[in-house]
Amino acid sequence: MDRLAETLDQMDITPEERDLYQVAIFADSVQLQIDGEGRVLLPQDLMDFTGITEQASFVANNKTFQIWEPSAHAARLEEARRLSRSAGLSLSTINLSGRRPAAAPAKE
């Protein structure tokens, strides 16, 4: 959250845009509680909002993680894979220099 706040502070955006980001990112954030056995306790309103009941999926997301209702995550994963395939994205298209790879030549 600190890193997000720092990044937001450095962005060249209008005060109105900054306010929208702040509301979208920080307004509903909560400090999650951990029980005595090391399990994350989700607030009931968050569980209700996400549809999480008995099980949740903890999903790696680069340097963070996300918590999903399992069937919603399965649907999101399938959609992401479909979109990646149609866009020609794969591990081999990742350029470690941080630059976007050149577009592939058009197929005739």
Side-chain angles (χ1 to χ4, degrees):
M1 295 301 281
D2 290 339
R3 189 167 169 203
L4 283 170
E6 289 172 14
T7 300
L8 184 59
D9 288 342
Q10 295 171 10
M11 291 175 64
D12 183 21
I13 55 177
T14 67
E16 293 80 12
E17 289 172 314
R18 184 175 317 282
D19 184 61
L20 288 174
Y21 275 112
Q22 290 175 168
V23 170
I25 295 170
F26 301 110
D28 288 330
S29 65
V30 295
Q31 180 86 26
L32 296 178
Q33 301 298 310
I34 310 285
D35 74 6
E37 296 184 29
R39 295 175 294 194
V40 174
L41 303 175
L42 299 177
Q44 188 63 48
D45 61 335
L46 182 59
M47 290 176 58
D48 293 342
F49 176 76
T50 59
I52 293 172
T53 55
E54 295 294 318
Q55 294 184 341
S57 295
F58 283 70
V59 181
N61 188 35
N62 196 351
K63 296 179 183 178
T64 64
F65 70 92
Q66 299 175 339
I67 304 171
W68 285 77
E69 188 282 324
S71 63
H73 178 257
R76 170 64 180 123
L77 186 56
E78 183 55 37
E79 177 70 0
R81 287 176 176 158
R82 184 187 66 73
L83 291 170
S84 295
R85 281 191 299 272
S86 68
L89 301 180
S90 70
L91 287 175
S92 64
T93 64
I94 295 174
N95 183 331
L96 297 179
S97 71
R99 295 187 184 99
R100 182 179 281 276
K107 294 182 181 178
E108 296 181 21

